[in-house]
């Protein structure tokens, strides 16, 4: 498994799957979730509604997979990050669950290239530095990582991009 860092909009990425930082309703919202539903079209929302009808809301740390509608990716993996409200081991573990459960779902669906946004670091206010450490560590420790060819970290804002650049370069050295 290799990792790649991109600065930009995840809705433009042609990966087998892009990950959405959703909320437990799975019915859309702002941030990256809003962008994915806007550009992907209503087929994604319909697929989310079908999942909700079957299983109810998506719990924090869990992930579900849908088609990607009009997006260049094949699938969207929707995961629900934790809302930050002060340091706690529980929140850290839930953010790690998002990455691990998304990767597990990717493997199950034969996804080889997967792109992640910086889950929870926008509207959910998770500290960016800590979130980047959790994301990179969890991806690198993923048990079945030989089944994934590439993980793309897509950073939308400068601060996240710089953090990931620094941390990924440190690992490579
Ligand atoms: N491509 C890539 N990254 C993006 C994009 C984009 N088009 N747009 C924003 N980001 P957020 P959260 C980055 O707020 O914190 C929604 O309302 C952004 O800079 O999208 O997990 C959901 O429905 C930030 O670094 O997600 C939930 O209610 C990162 O994506 C809630 O927000 C995550 O920011 C989830 O909050």
């Amino acid at each position: 498994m290799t990792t790649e860092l991109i600065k930009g909009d995840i809705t433009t990425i042609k990966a087998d799957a892009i990950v959405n930082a959703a909320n437990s309703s799975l019915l859309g919202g702002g941030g990256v979730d809003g962008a994915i539903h806007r550009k992907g079209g209503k087929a994604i929302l319909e697929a989310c509604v079908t999942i909700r009808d079957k299983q109810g809301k998506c719990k924090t740390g869990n992930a579900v997979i849908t088609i990607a509608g009009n997006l260049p990716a094949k699938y969207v993996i929707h995961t629900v990050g934790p809302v930050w409200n002060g340091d706690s081991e529980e929140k850290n573990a839930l953010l790690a669950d998002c990455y691990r459960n998304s990767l597990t779902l990717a493997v199950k669906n034969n996804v080889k290239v997967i792109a992640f946004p910086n889950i929870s670091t926008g509207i959910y206010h998770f500290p960016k530095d800590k979130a980047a450490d959790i994301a990179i560590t969890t991806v690198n420790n993923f048990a079945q990582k030989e089944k994934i060819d590439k993980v793309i970290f897509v950073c939308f804002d400068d601060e996240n991009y710089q953090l990931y650049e620094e941390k990924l370069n440190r690992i490579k050295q």
Side-chain angles (χ1 to χ4, degrees), residues 8-10 21-23 28-33 35 117-124 156-157 160:
D9 179 354
I10 203 165
N23 61 60
V32 68
D33 194 12
N118 310 129
I119 301 163
S120 280
T121 67
I123 292 163
Y124 283 176
F156 197 61
D157 59 272
N160 264 318

Side-chain angles (χ1 to χ4, degrees), residues 4-46:
E4 188 181 340
L5 176 62
I6 291 179
K7 184 166 187 309
D9 179 354
I10 203 165
T11 63
T12 67
I13 306 286
K14 194 171 180 273
D16 296 322
I18 62 166
V19 176
N20 181 18
N23 61 60
S24 59
S25 81
L26 295 175
L27 300 181
V32 68
D33 194 12
I36 286 172
H37 279 282
R38 242 184 342 266
K39 291 206 190 163
K42 70 173 195 300
I44 298 179
L45 183 62
E46 283 166 6

Side-chain angles (χ1 to χ4, degrees), residues 70-83:
N70 302 325
L71 298 175
K74 192 166 167 202
Y75 300 111
V76 178
I77 294 175
H78 308 259
T79 188
V80 182
V83 180

